Amino acid sequence: MKKLLEFKNVKYFYQTKENEIEALNDISFSLSKDSFSSLVGPSGCGKTTILSLSAGLLSPSSGSILLDDNPIKKNDDRIGYMFQQDHLFEWRTIWQNITLGLELQGLKKDKKKVAFAEELLKKYDLYNFKNKKPRELSGGMRQRVALIRTLVLQPSLLLLDEPFSALDFQTRLKVCDDVYSIIKNENKTALLVTHDISEALSMSDKVIILSKRPAVVKEEVELSFDGATPLHKREDPLFGSYFEKIWRNLV
């Protein structure tokens, strides 16, 4: 299958007042087009640094990062980013939040893009809330709005930085299902950073396990489940054995 994102022997150093710290050591992995992968590893190992490099927010100290065989650029519009918080503007309506990216890019009058935004709202049961304010929506609905705001710009790659961590457990399970189905329906490639092994397993085709800093890729675990959704995957007989394999790699 065609590679969409590829890290080739990537090293990354950052400077403190005292010395230079090696965060990533010779990181190599790739994501296939339309796949869903997760990054797991010890706290502080460099998971978010890898997302920032993937987004073009940081540049590697050495090695290369390719998106669709081309180098990633700063502010690369081929990439969408979902953060831990939804970052919806409370004074704007849901429609105004969703079309914010179009507004910033001077595309608010592009009829095709506006029609696509409306189509996404209708498809994912948010159209009746388009004139509401974010505070009138549940936490799960807010995350759907944040995802659709990202999808409106039609990125090739979605980067998800612990987007469910602020939700309670029950809501989190439901939102994982919602976000997963939207990403799969829209044929997007996704890379999720999470501390939750169960979350990584239930949403992913592959889990990339990082070591402590300076991070190396310890193992890439390809997953094979019968379940169609994250919730169903948690019920698969293989789930426990995959969980134990990843846990042993982390301790």
Side-chain angles (χ1 to χ4, degrees), residues 55 76-82 150-151 155-160:
D76 201 313
D77 59 12
R78 298 172 296 169
I79 297 160
Y81 208 120
M82 268 188 81
T150 303
L151 291 174
S156 303
L157 175 67
L158 284 173
L159 303 172
L160 313 175

Side-chain angles (χ1 to χ4, degrees), residues 39-210:
L39 279 171
V40 299
S43 293
C45 73
K47 298 185 292 294
T48 298
T49 299
I50 288 177
L51 281 198
S52 296
L53 287 163
S54 301
L57 300 174
L58 298 174
S59 299
S61 302
S62 64
S64 61
I65 306 170
L66 302 177
L67 184 65
D68 209 10
D69 295 327
N70 294 300
I72 286 175
K73 307 184 292 287
K74 190 174 182 180
N75 301 320
D76 201 313
D77 59 12
R78 298 172 296 169
I79 297 160
Y81 208 120
M82 268 188 81
F83 297 92
Q84 291 180 10
Q85 304 296 326
D86 56 54
H87 294 298
L88 299 180
F89 292 112
E90 296 294 342
W91 62 90
R92 296 174 71 104
T93 64
I94 298 309
W95 176 251
Q96 289 168 338
N97 270 284
I98 278 174
T99 55
L100 178 62
L102 298 180
E103 194 176 312
L104 293 174
Q105 292 186 8
L107 299 171
K108 193 73 183 289
K109 294 183 179 179
D110 186 315
K111 290 182 180 179
K112 283 187 177 179
K113 294 194 181 294
V114 171
F116 180 60
E118 287 193 332
E119 178 191 330
L120 288 174
L121 278 179
K122 290 173 182 175
K123 192 189 293 188
Y124 301 115
D125 301 322
L126 287 165
Y127 192 76
N128 291 336
F129 299 91
K130 65 182 290 190
N131 296 318
K132 302 282 188 185
K133 296 290 177 63
R135 64 178 173 275
E136 299 177 78
L137 272 59
S138 67
M141 292 173 76
R142 290 174 66 112
Q143 284 298 67
R144 264 191 286 156
V145 171
L147 177 57
I148 289 170
R149 178 182 58 190
T150 303
L151 291 174
V152 163
L153 297 174
Q154 298 178 289
S156 303
L157 175 67
L158 284 173
L159 303 172
L160 313 175
D161 190 2
E162 297 194 73
F164 317 117
S165 60
L167 304 173
D168 64 78
F169 183 69
Q170 271 189 311
T171 303
R172 192 166 177 157
L173 291 178
K174 175 68 168 63
V175 175
C176 281
D177 268 22
D178 289 344
V179 167
Y180 177 86
S181 66
I182 292 171
I183 288 171
K184 286 298 183 183
N185 285 342
E186 299 302 319
N187 299 313
K188 297 301 178 185
T189 306
L191 180 60
L192 168 71
V193 158
T194 179
H195 285 94
D196 187 328
I197 298 173
S198 293
E199 189 171 274
L201 286 173
S202 68
M203 297 192 75
S204 306
D205 310 309
K206 176 172 71 176
V207 176
I208 301 164
I209 305 169
L210 301 177

Side-chain angles (χ1 to χ4, degrees), residues 3-7 29-31 54 65-67 72 157:
K3 294 175 183 176
L4 182 74
L5 177 69
E6 189 170 11
F7 271 58
F29 67 86
S30 63
L31 307 185
S54 301
I65 306 170
L66 302 177
L67 184 65
I72 286 175
L157 175 67

Side-chain angles (χ1 to χ4, degrees), residues 17-42:
K17 287 183 178 179
E18 292 77 28
N19 52 23
E20 189 175 62
I21 304 294
E22 184 179 15
L24 305 177
N25 177 23
D26 205 29
I27 295 285
S28 295
F29 67 86
S30 63
L31 307 185
S32 300
K33 195 174 186 305
D34 300 339
S35 67
F36 198 123
S37 301
S38 290
L39 279 171
V40 299

Side-chain angles (χ1 to χ4, degrees), residues 207-224:
V207 176
I208 301 164
I209 305 169
L210 301 177
S211 70
K212 65 181 181 181
R213 193 180 70 201
V216 298
V217 175
K218 291 182 76 174
E219 190 173 353
E220 297 184 40
V221 181
E222 301 282 349
L223 305 174
S224 178

